[in-house]
Amino acid sequence: HHPLLRAFARVRAAVPDAHLFLVGRTVDPAYAASVRAAVRTAGLDDGVSFLGERLDVGTLLAGMDVGVVSSSSEGLPLALLE
């Protein structure tokens, strides 16, 4: 997620009201903590929401302008199918 956060910081510089929703189950609590820390360090607290695991991902995606699958380990992420 850190490359995604760096990219989002650039988006936020150009589009100040952009918002990033991070959706998914936390598998590694230490990694999740590092992502939250990176958000704080980058000053993106007001532009990033951690939604956790959701059953309505399709509905969430329908309301967004852009969707990103930032996983480097999933071969076919469920979010693509939804």
Side-chain angles (χ1 to χ4, degrees):
H1 285 91
H2 298 312
L4 176 61
L5 294 178
R6 287 192 297 274
F8 181 64
R10 293 179 68 187
V11 169
R12 241 349 242 274
V15 185
D17 63 339
H19 200 90
L20 176 64
F21 297 97
L22 296 175
V23 181
R25 180 171 41 101
T26 300
V27 177
D28 180 352
Y31 181 71
S34 77
V35 172
R36 288 181 184 274
V39 167
R40 282 190 302 277
T41 300
L44 296 171
D45 299 77
D46 64 335
V48 178
S49 295
F50 294 85
L51 302 183
E53 187 171 14
R54 301 283 297 250
L55 298 176
D56 60 344
V57 173
T59 301
L60 291 172
L61 289 173
M64 296 180 188
D65 294 319
V66 176
V68 176
V69 178
S70 63
S71 174
S72 61
S73 63
E74 290 181 88
L76 180 60
L78 188 56
L80 286 178
L81 299 174
E82 292 175 317

